[in-house]
Amino acid sequence: MILDADLTMPPEELPKFYDAIASGQGDFIIGSRLVYEMESGAMRLLNLLGNKFFSFVFSWMLEQPIKDTLCGTKVILKSDYEKLVSNQKFFGDFDPFGDFDLIFGAHKLNLRMIEIPIRYRERIYGSTNISRFKNGMVLIKMCFFAARKVKFI
């Protein structure tokens, strides 16, 4: 289980993720911040627009709807994670956050991905390490790299 340390997603919601993977609803469970209304100040407008852009790109590339590619809450079985890591270089090794690595890797392994909506709150711990433009450009580059392997084979 992956949970961001800034506590923008209440840890009390983790049992939903455990139940989803333990019951076999999916093999890779992704949190989605873009379903429920967010707390004021939880996400800046530019970040929201970037998330929606990447949601569109991933949904098109992977041919399945993905609402939130950059939510820090994700769950995967250890055995699947080990397979995913062994293939990590297939999509490049330059993801600054690891989210795209996980999603592309899960797709390559044909894992069933499902999203679970979460309540996204304003950060109560720490400050962001994200450089919106610099990191955003790296993520766009990674999408182009992955599209050649997934969509334009």
Side-chain angles (χ1 to χ4, degrees):
M1 292 183 135
I2 301 169
L3 176 68
D4 282 338
D6 62 8
L7 300 178
T8 51
M9 199 284 289
E12 297 80 23
E13 292 194 42
L14 286 176
K16 293 190 300 189
F17 289 80
Y18 173 81
D19 292 343
I21 203 157
S23 67
Q25 292 177 43
D27 304 309
F28 182 55
I29 317 301
I30 305 169
S32 181
R33 303 167 294 179
L34 305 177
V35 175
Y36 301 133
E37 189 173 329
M38 293 181 219
E39 279 188 6
S40 176
M43 187 181 295
R44 293 182 180 174
L45 179 61
L46 192 55
N47 291 51
L48 180 63
L49 293 174
N51 278 307
K52 289 185 181 271
F53 167 77
F54 288 118
S55 169
F56 173 79
V57 170
F58 271 70
S59 295
W60 169 76
M61 252 194 301
L62 306 182
E63 298 179 358
Q64 84 170 72
I66 296 181
K67 286 185 180 19
D68 190 357
T69 59
L70 292 167
C71 180
T73 308
K74 295 180 176 56
V75 177
I76 187 170
L77 294 174
K78 181 181 178 185
S79 58
D80 288 331
Y81 178 74
E82 289 168 347
K83 291 177 203 168
L84 189 147
V85 168
S86 70
N87 286 312
Q88 190 172 18
K89 299 234 188 284
F90 182 78
F91 291 108
D93 193 12
F94 46 87
D95 185 348
F97 311 115
D99 297 289
F100 287 13
D101 278 337
L102 290 169
I103 295 170
F104 287 137
H107 174 75
K108 184 173 186 317
L109 294 174
N110 291 317
L111 299 181
R112 289 173 296 133
M113 292 184 261
I114 65 163
E115 288 182 288
I116 293 181
I118 64 164
R119 301 259 180 223
Y120 193 59
R121 305 184 306 196
E122 186 173 0
R123 175 187 305 270
I124 59 173
Y125 180 78
S127 59
T128 186
N129 295 320
I130 297 171
S131 169
R132 285 165 195 77
F133 295 102
K134 180 182 168 192
N135 295 138
M137 292 309 294
V138 171
L139 295 176
I140 289 171
K141 177 182 168 187
M142 189 169 186
C143 286
F144 278 114
F145 187 84
R148 288 192 317 238
K149 299 207 175 219
V150 172
K151 203 70 173 165
F152 306 114
I153 315 174

